[in-house]
Amino acid sequence: MNSVQLNSCEFISHLQTDLFIKMQFMLLFSRQGKLRLQKWYVPLSDKEKKKITRELVQTVLARKPKMCSFLEWRDLKIVYKRYASLYFCCAIEDQDNELITLEIIHRYVELLDKYFGSVCELDIIFNFEKAYFILDEFLLGGEAQETSKKNVLKAIEQADLLQEDAKEAETPRSVLEEIGLT
Amino acid sequence: MPAVSKGDGMRGLAVFISDIRNCKSKEAEIKRINKELANIRSKFKGDKALDGYSKKKYVCKLLFIFLLGHDIDFGHMEAVNLLSSNKYTEKQIGYLFISVLVNSNSELIRLINNAIKNDLSSRNPTFMCLALHCIANVGSREMAEAFAGEIPRILVAGDTMDSVKQSAALCLLRLYKTSPDLVLMGEWTSRVVHLLNDQHMGVVTAAISLITCLSQKNPDEFKTCVSLAVSRLSRIVSSASTDLQDYTYYFVPAPWLSCKLLRLLQCYPPPEDGAVKGRLVECLETILNKAQEPPKSKKVQHSNAKNAILFEAISLIIHYDSEPNLLVRACNQLGQFLQHRETNLRYLALESMCTLASSEFSHEAVKTHIETVINALKTERDVSVRQRAADLLYAMCDRSNAKQIVAEMLSYLETADYSIREEMVLKVAILAEKYAVDYSWYVDTILNLIRIAGDYVSEEVWYRVIQIVINRDDVQGYAAKTVFEALQAPACHENMVKVGGYILGEFGNLIAGDPRSSPLVQFNLLHSKFHLCSVPTRALLLSAYIKFINLFPETKSTIQEVLRSDSQIRNSDVELQQRAVEYLKLSSIASTDVLATVLEEMPPFPERESSILAKLKKKKGPGAVSVNELEEGKREGGELNGGGDRGGDSSAIAASNASTPSPSADLLGLRTGPPVTAAAPSAGSLLVDVFSEAGVNDDGFLRDLEPPTESSDSLLAEGPGDSDSAPPSVVSEDPAPPLPESNELLNKFVCKNNGVLFENQLLQIGIKSEYRQNLGRMYLFYGNKTSVQFINVQAKPVEPLIEGGAQVQQVINIECLTDFTEAPLLNIKFRYGGALQNLSLKLPVTINKFFQPTEMASHDFFQRWKQLSQPQQEAQKIFKANNAMDTEVLKAKLLGLGMALLENVDPNPENFVCAGVIQTKAQQVGSLLRLEPNAQAQMYRLTVRSSKDTVSKRLCELLAEQF
C-alpha cells in the first residue's frame, strides 16, 4: 500500500442520474427484436449497452398492444410506441414528462417520414447514417434542439445539397466499384 | 434494396447490407462480416492511397458492422482522417463514426479535437454544427478542456447563425454535465439568460435546457430567468394556435418549449414579485381551462401535447404547494383522467395524484376518488397501471380509510401479479402498523398477509409483528389465540410457523387454560410442522420448545424425549444439534428458578422506526413513496429469534444503542457498510485482499451485527397528516434523546457549509457557516413552519419567541482549540401549543472545517507522504460507494472538504489526492489524503496520513460517509 504507483483501478462510467438530462437513450428495434438504431446520451460501456438493449427489447416486446406506453424499468421510465414493424423506445428520468417524450418519438417519425417519403423499416436499415443525422438535428445531448419540422428538414436538405456538389466533383469510379464488389 | 436513396448512396454499402440481410444463419452473417473486415483491413493497409470516397464507404461499413453488435478494433484513424476532408459528406461520416465509436479516453482525442477546432473556426455554419454535434455526442472531459471556453462565446456572439446557437447551447449543457468546473458562465450569464427572449423559437427551445441546468446549480445567478420565463410562457399560452407557425404542433402552440419553461420554473420558489406571480397564476389557470375545452383535433398527438403541458403545469403547482385553489383544480382534472379511455392518461393521472396526496391542501380532494382507484386496482388490464393504483391507494391512506384500503389491498393480493406482490405486502404491513387503532386488527392483517402471500412476506415483516406483539401486553393473548388457529390449517406457510413458534413460545400460557389449546396440544401442533420446515425455522422451533418446558413443566418429559431423539441430538446440522444438546442439558440440570431466569419472557424491544419502511424505500428508490422517516434497526430482532443466550446479548447491545449516542451506536444504527467479506463481486483487483484484512481489525464485531444490505438513507421528511397517527414505534413520550439521525445530519455537512440542519413539521433549522484558520462563525436560522407561536425558546441568545412563519437568526462564534472528534451538541427547547419540545442536535462542526488548502507539486507530495510513514499516522478505510461514482461529484466533495485537490500528482488519473493543514489554536496538523475509486467493485479506498494520529482517524471516519 505504500507505493502510490502500484494500484490502478479501472473506471467504468455508470448510468448517471442527474436532473437535467431528459433522455438517457433512444432505441429503435423491430418486432423480431433486431436493433435498428441506438443513441446513447449517457456514457456507458459497450457491455452495459448490450445488456440494457437485450433486457429492454425483451420487456417491451412482451407487452400487449393495448397496454400503456410507459413503464418503470430500473430507475428509469421507458416511453415506447410502435409504428408498423418498428418500436421506438426512449428512456427518461423519473421526473420527466412522459407525454412530451411520446411526442418526441412521433415528431422523429414524422421527420423520417417526410425525408424518406413514407418511411419504412428498410429505409432506416439502408440509410442508417441518415437516420442518425436527422436525429442529431432534432435532439442533441438528449434535449430537443429544434422542434420545427421545417427547420430540421431544411438543415438536412442543405447537407444533401452539399453532398451532391461534392459528388459531381468526384472522379468517376471503377466499374467494379459501381456494382458494389469492393 | 433501399426504397429511396437520398443524397449520395454508397452502392458498396447497400450491397453489403443486402448481403447481411440475406444471410440465413448467424454463422453465415459472421462469415460475411469477417470477409468484409478482412477486405477493409487490406484496403486500409494497402500501398495505394485510398480516395476520400472509398475511405468514407469503408468507415461507414465498419460503423454498420459495429451497430450490428460486433466489435471493431480498427478504422478509427481513417475516420479521424475523414474529419479534415473538405467534402462535407466525408466529414459527416467521419464525425458519425467518432460519435458512436470513440470513447472519451481514446488516444485519438487530440487529433479529433484538432479537427473540431478547425471546423469551429471555419465560420461555415454546417461545419460548425457538425463539430458541435460531435462534442455534444462524445462529451468527454478532454473536449470540455479544449472547448468549454470557446463555446459560450459562439453561443452569445451577435453574428452566430441561429442553428449554430442551438447546437452550441446544448453542446455546452453536455459539457457542463461532464465537467461543471470547466464551464464558467461568469460574464456570459446575463446574455445567456436573455436568450429566453430570442426571436427564434428554436434558439429558445435549445437554450432553455442549458439555463434550467445552470439555474439548478446556481439559482441566485440565474434568478432573472424567472420573470423572462413567465412572460415567454404567457405569450405562448395566450397565443392562437396558428401564431407560432411551424412551432405549433397539432394545434398546440410550442408544446416542447412550454414544458421546458414550466420545468425551469420548478427550479425556483413562487415568484416574489406580485405582478410576475399574478401572470404566472393566470397562465396556470389558462392551461387548466384549456383542458376543459373541446379538442381541436381528434388526433392523439393533439391531446398528448396538450396534456403534456397540463401535467407539467400540475407538477409546478405541486412544487409550489401554496395555491390551494389550483391544487384542488388540478386534483379534479386528474380525477377526470382516472376514467379516461386512454390508458396512458389513466396511468399518468394515478401517478400524478400520488404527489397531490401528500399536499395538505389536496389530500382530502384526492381521497374522494378512492372508489375509482380501488376499481382501477381490480379492473385495469395493464399491470403497470395497477401498480400505480396501488401506489396511490398507499399515498392516500390515512386513519379514516385505512381499514378499507388495507382490506382492498389484501383481497387484491390474492390475484396480484407476482412482480408486484412483495411490494404490496410491504405496503400492507406498513399501513396496518401505521394506522392500527386496535392491535388485534393489526395482528389479523399480518397473519392474513402470511396466509395469502407467505412467499412474499420478507423477514422484516414477520420480525415486526413479533416486535409489536412483544411490546404490547394487550394484544398478546389475542395473538397467541390467532396464531394457534392459523396453525391448524393443514397447509400453512413456513413464515406462519415461525411467527407461531415464537409467539406460542412466549405467550402460549395465555391460552393454555382452554383444553382445546392445552400445552400439549400446542406443542403437538407446532411439532407436526417441524419436519416440513427449513433449518432456521427448526432452530427457532427448538427454542420455542425449551421455552415451553419453562412455561409448562408438564410438557418437559415429552419435549426432552423429542430433543433426545437421534434426529435432533445427532442432527447433521451443527446449529440444530448444538441447540438440541444444550437445551436438553439445560432442561435436565437447571433448577426451576434458574430455568425461569434463563428462559424469561423477552423484554420489550427498544422502540425503533419500522424497518419495513426501509425495505420498501429500498425497493422503490428514493422519492417514490411518501413514507415517513425510517431507520434500520432490525437485526436484533432476528438474532433474538435465533433463540437462546445469543439473543440476550444482542438485545443488550440494541438497548444501549437506543439510549446512548456513542460512536459504537453509530456503527449499528447509522453507518452503513457491507458485510466485510465477500462483498466485492469481482476478485482480481488488489483492493479485495486488503479489504478482508481491513475487515478483521476494523470494528468487525459490531459490523457483523449490521444488516447486510442497508441503504444509508435514513431520513425522509415526514409527510403532513401523519403526525397524529403515531404507530407504536414512533417514540413520543420522551422528548429528550439526541436525534438518532444527528450523525447522519452531521455527515451531510462535512463537505459543505450551508444547508438545512434539521427539519420536522414544526421547525426548520438552517445553517450558514464560514471558517478561517482556526476560527469559524455559524449562523443558525430557526424557522417556525407552523402558523402559531413557539414560546419559551431556550437556545440561549435567541429571542425567546418565534412568531408563526417567522425566522430567527443566531450567530455562534467558534474557535478550534485542538483537534476533536465529537461534534458539539445543541439543545433546543421550546413550547408548541402546550407541549414542551426538546431537541438535541449535533452542530455540524467537524475537524475538516479548519483546513487550509495546501498546493504542492507531485514531488513534494510524495516526499511528505513518505515522511508520514509511521503506522499510526495513517488511517485507511475501504468502503462501498453509496452514490454513483461520478468524478465531478467526487471532486466537488473533496473541495468542499477544505483541502487542496492536487491535479496531476497521482499517476493514476482516476485517483484523487489532496493536501491541507488543519489550523487549531494548539497546533497545526498537516494532512494528506488519497482516494482510490474502484468502479468495478463500487468501492473506494481512502487513505489519510496526518502528523497527528487522531486527526487521520477522524478524517477517515468522516469522509467514509461521504461517497
Side-chain angles (χ1 to χ4, degrees), chain B residues 149-224:
Chain B
E150 175 65 16
I151 297 173
R153 201 165 300 135
I154 297 178
L155 176 62
V156 297
D159 58 347
T160 306
M161 298 265 297
D162 289 333
S163 61
V164 178
K165 273 191 196 167
Q166 287 166 273
S167 299
L170 292 176
C171 187
L172 202 56
L173 169 58
R174 176 66 192 263
L175 292 186
Y176 185 79
K177 282 193 50 70
T178 323
S179 318
D181 54 320
L182 294 178
V183 179
L184 304 168
M185 296 315 290
E187 44 179 327
W188 310 117
T189 303
S190 104
R191 292 170 74 179
V192 170
V193 170
H194 277 87
L195 289 172
L196 286 176
N197 267 342
D198 202 287
Q199 291 203 316
H200 190 283
M201 294 280 277
V203 172
V204 189
T205 307
I208 193 171
S209 300
L210 175 67
I211 295 167
T212 306
C213 169
L214 293 169
S215 300
Q216 220 154 12
K217 290 273 163 85
N218 328 284
D220 286 342
E221 288 170 44
F222 284 81
K223 226 170 25 203
T224 48

Side-chain angles (χ1 to χ4, degrees), chain B residues 452-482:
Chain B
I452 293 168
D455 284 343
Y456 299 90
V457 172
S458 56
E459 286 185 336
E460 285 83 355
V461 174
W462 72 262
Y463 286 176
R464 190 71 190 154
V465 68
I466 285 173
Q467 281 191 346
I468 287 177
V469 169
I470 292 207
N471 289 11
R472 302 197 61 99
D473 303 344
D474 51 338
V475 75
Q476 289 160 354
Y478 181 79
K481 178 168 156 284
T482 324

Side-chain angles (χ1 to χ4, degrees), chain B residues 427-458:
Chain B
K427 286 184 167 161
V428 171
I430 290 167
L431 294 179
E433 178 183 332
K434 200 163 153 189
Y435 299 114
V437 189
D438 71 284
Y439 280 86
S440 50
W441 174 71
Y442 169 76
V443 169
D444 282 342
T445 306
I446 300 296
L447 293 186
N448 263 329
L449 263 187
I450 297 177
R451 211 178 358 241
I452 293 168
D455 284 343
Y456 299 90
V457 172
S458 56

Side-chain angles (χ1 to χ4, degrees), chain A residues 1 9 18-20 50 63 68-69 95 97-98 103 106 110 143 145-146 148 150-151 177-178, chain B residues 11 57 69 166-167 177 209 216 246-247 249-250 263 301 304 308 312 344 351 382 933 941:
Chain A
M1 215 44 45
C9 41
D18 219 316
L19 281 170
F20 341 105
K50 281 185 185 168
R63 290 175 63 86
C68 96
S69 312
Q95 296 89 354
N97 192 314
E98 293 95 339
E103 293 320 297
H106 187 75
E110 283 184 348
E143 296 274 350
Q145 174 177 223
E146 176 56 84
S148 151
K150 231 185 267 169
N151 289 352
E177 168 69 39
E178 276 305 317
Chain B
R11 203 171 150 71
K57 185 182 64 185
Q166 287 166 273
S167 299
K177 282 193 50 70
S209 300
Q216 220 154 12
D246 211 32
Y247 290 92
Y249 179 83
Y250 292 87
R263 173 56 57 94
Q301 282 76 25
N304 278 352
E312 205 59 65
N344 287 345
E351 185 181 66
D382 184 345
R941 178 168 58 200

Side-chain angles (χ1 to χ4, degrees), chain B residues 608-908:
Chain B
R608 285 175 168 272
E609 303 307 338
S610 166
S611 56
I612 310 176
L613 280 169
K615 169 110 179 173
L616 178 68
K617 231 195 117 214
K618 210 170 65 201
K619 267 187 81 67
K620 290 288 287 183
V625 271
S626 61
V627 291
N628 281 11
E629 73 307 316
L630 34 103
E631 192 203 321
E632 180 61 69
K634 186 71 243 182
R635 209 43 173 188
E636 298 79 40
E639 293 290 333
L640 282 171
N641 271 308
D645 28 20
R646 248 175 346 124
D649 278 348
S650 46
S651 97
I653 292 167
S656 75
N657 282 334
S659 56
T660 53
S662 65
S664 67
D666 301 341
L667 283 172
L668 256 183
L670 297 163
R671 295 259 174 88
T672 57
V676 216
T677 46
S682 63
S685 99
L686 258 166
L687 271 177
V688 180
D689 304 339
V690 189
F691 184 48
S692 48
E693 210 178 280
V696 180
N697 54 28
D698 217 35
D699 18 55
F701 164 63
L702 281 171
R703 274 169 175 266
D704 281 348
L705 290 171
E706 272 180 68
T709 52
E710 178 195 8
S711 62
S712 65
D713 30 22
S714 71
L715 189 83
L716 260 190
E718 214 172 75
D722 288 337
S723 63
D724 55 338
S725 55
S729 57
V730 174
V731 195
S732 51
E733 62 274 20
D734 178 12
L739 288 178
E741 312 89 338
S742 61
N743 260 27
E744 178 92 6
L745 291 164
L746 193 62
N747 287 329
K748 234 174 69 181
F749 284 91
V750 169
C751 291
K752 61 176 193 172
N753 287 332
N754 307 329
V756 175
L757 175 66
F758 172 80
E759 179 157 29
N760 66 9
Q761 286 170 305
L762 307 176
L763 176 70
Q764 183 191 54
I765 305 177
I767 271 196
K768 269 193 178 173
S769 47
E770 49 196 10
Y771 294 90
R772 192 169 304 136
Q773 309 221 321
N774 67 325
L775 300 176
R777 174 169 291 169
M778 182 176 279
Y779 300 86
L780 292 170
F781 300 89
Y782 298 88
N784 181 344
K785 291 172 65 182
T786 68
S787 50
V788 292
Q789 289 176 351
F790 292 159
I791 47 175
N792 212 359
V793 180
Q794 299 180 8
K796 264 301 148 51
V798 190
E799 289 293 316
L801 185 142
I802 304 178
E803 284 294 341
Q807 201 181 52
V808 171
Q809 179 185 338
Q810 178 183 26
V811 185
I812 299 175
N813 287 315
I814 300 160
E815 183 177 13
C816 179
L817 300 172
T818 180
D819 70 300
F820 61 97
T821 48
E822 282 299 336
L825 281 181
L826 171 73
N827 284 301
I828 303 159
K829 293 181 185 168
F830 59 93
R831 280 191 183 280
Y832 167 67
L836 181 67
Q837 309 285 323
N838 193 347
L839 278 175
S840 186
L841 298 170
K842 288 190 180 176
L843 277 184
V845 183
T846 44
I847 186 74
N848 63 293
K849 299 293 182 195
F850 304 95
F851 258 129
Q852 290 279 105
T854 320
E855 292 288 349
M856 57 178 81
S858 176
H859 174 74
D860 295 336
F861 181 87
F862 289 116
Q863 198 173 10
R864 291 190 205 188
W865 184 266
K866 278 189 201 118
Q867 281 165 3
L868 297 171
S869 58
Q870 290 171 37
Q872 67 272 23
Q873 287 176 328
E874 181 183 281
Q876 189 173 75
K877 258 204 165 86
I878 290 165
F879 51 91
K880 189 127 185 96
N882 281 325
N883 302 306
M885 297 174 95
D886 182 321
T887 315
E888 293 317 313
V889 175
L890 288 178
K891 278 194 182 165
K893 283 194 173 160
L894 287 170
L895 285 173
L897 182 71
M899 300 175 89
L901 183 57
L902 305 178
E903 304 273 4
N904 304 324
V905 168
D906 198 307
N908 180 348

Side-chain angles (χ1 to χ4, degrees), chain A residues 14-143:
Chain A
H14 282 263
L15 216 61
Q16 293 177 345
T17 50
D18 219 316
L19 281 170
F20 341 105
I21 280 231
K22 272 215 177 313
M23 196 177 293
Q24 306 256 340
F25 54 83
M26 182 192 252
L27 303 175
L28 263 67
F29 50 88
S30 69
R31 225 165 6 150
Q32 289 76 34
K34 289 245 188 213
L35 192 59
R36 295 303 182 202
L37 185 137
Q38 45 176 320
K39 187 77 189 180
W40 303 85
Y41 297 111
V42 282
L44 290 170
S45 71
D46 288 342
K47 215 173 127 196
E48 282 171 294
K49 287 180 188 169
K50 281 185 185 168
K51 187 162 175 267
I52 291 174
T53 309
R54 211 171 32 240
E55 275 184 40
L56 252 186
V57 169
Q58 261 180 13
T59 313
V60 171
L61 287 179
R63 290 175 63 86
K64 297 190 189 79
K66 283 278 171 187
M67 284 184 162
C68 96
S69 312
F70 320 123
L71 58 128
E72 287 187 337
W73 184 78
R74 297 195 186 174
D75 294 339
L76 300 173
K77 287 195 293 209
I78 303 298
V79 177
Y80 72 93
K81 186 159 181 181
R82 186 177 149 183
Y83 289 85
S85 59
L86 269 189
Y87 283 88
F88 290 69
C89 174
C90 294
I92 55 174
E93 298 236 320
D94 192 42
Q95 296 89 354
D96 286 336
N97 192 314
E98 293 95 339
L99 285 174
I100 208 75
T101 309
L102 207 51
E103 293 320 297
I104 283 208
I105 292 177
H106 187 75
R107 172 111 298 182
Y108 181 48
V109 174
E110 283 184 348
L111 287 166
L112 293 171
D113 195 64
K114 188 96 184 171
Y115 180 77
F116 289 107
S118 77
V119 66
C120 68
E121 193 183 340
L122 279 181
D123 293 322
I124 294 172
I125 297 173
F126 280 97
N127 303 287
F128 68 95
E129 79 280 10
K130 292 285 180 217
Y132 278 100
F133 296 148
I134 296 172
L135 188 58
D136 269 356
E137 288 294 335
F138 174 43
L139 289 181
L140 192 57
E143 296 274 350

